[in-house]
Amino acid sequence: MSAEYIESQNGGYYVKGTRVSLDSIVYSFRDGESPETIRQNFPSLTLEQVYGAITFYLAHQAEVDANIREGEADLERSVPPLSLSRPDLYARLQKAREELAKPQ
């Protein structure tokens, strides 16, 4: 059963007994990474845990996706845009983008 691989903590999902978030595995899985590659990226996990996490995600996809969207929205609300927090840096980046966009 895939639920034995995942636990809920602090409003998020984690691979049971680890600090690896299910979100991390889901992002990699959505990007097309194989379970073996995901395992290499998270050496503290076993391949069985990676497959268990993916199985849990597929069985609870709507719920997990909603949780991920909620977390992303919370992050966007808590981190001010660069144009407000560092207007000088934002202006320099905008100028650099404009320079790069100019035809050569």
Side-chain angles (χ1 to χ4, degrees):
M1 180 175 177
S2 62
E4 69 188 64
Y5 293 100
I6 300 298
E7 61 188 0
S8 180
Q9 299 176 17
N10 304 318
Y13 296 102
Y14 293 83
V15 176
K16 191 173 279 187
T18 75
R19 296 174 63 184
V20 177
S21 71
L22 179 60
D23 298 11
S24 303
I25 294 172
V26 169
Y27 285 126
S28 296
F29 180 69
R30 285 183 187 164
D31 285 343
E33 292 184 8
S34 70
E36 290 77 14
T37 300
I38 295 170
R39 161 61 183 90
Q40 289 174 351
N41 293 334
F42 297 95
S44 65
L45 300 180
T46 65
L47 190 56
E48 179 182 354
Q49 288 173 307
V50 172
Y51 274 103
I54 292 168
T55 301
F56 180 89
Y57 170 64
L58 293 174
H60 303 89
Q61 191 167 353
E63 179 183 340
V64 173
D65 286 346
N67 184 270
I68 290 172
R69 282 191 303 276
E70 183 179 314
E72 290 171 344
D74 287 347
L75 183 61
E76 284 182 30
R77 284 190 296 272
S78 68
V79 177
L82 191 60
S83 60
L84 296 177
S85 64
R86 299 278 312 271
D88 55 326
L89 177 60
Y90 180 78
R92 289 196 321 254
L93 289 170
Q94 284 298 99
K95 184 176 180 181
R97 285 186 188 113
E98 291 168 5
E99 291 295 320
L100 289 171
K102 287 182 182 177
Q104 297 293 334

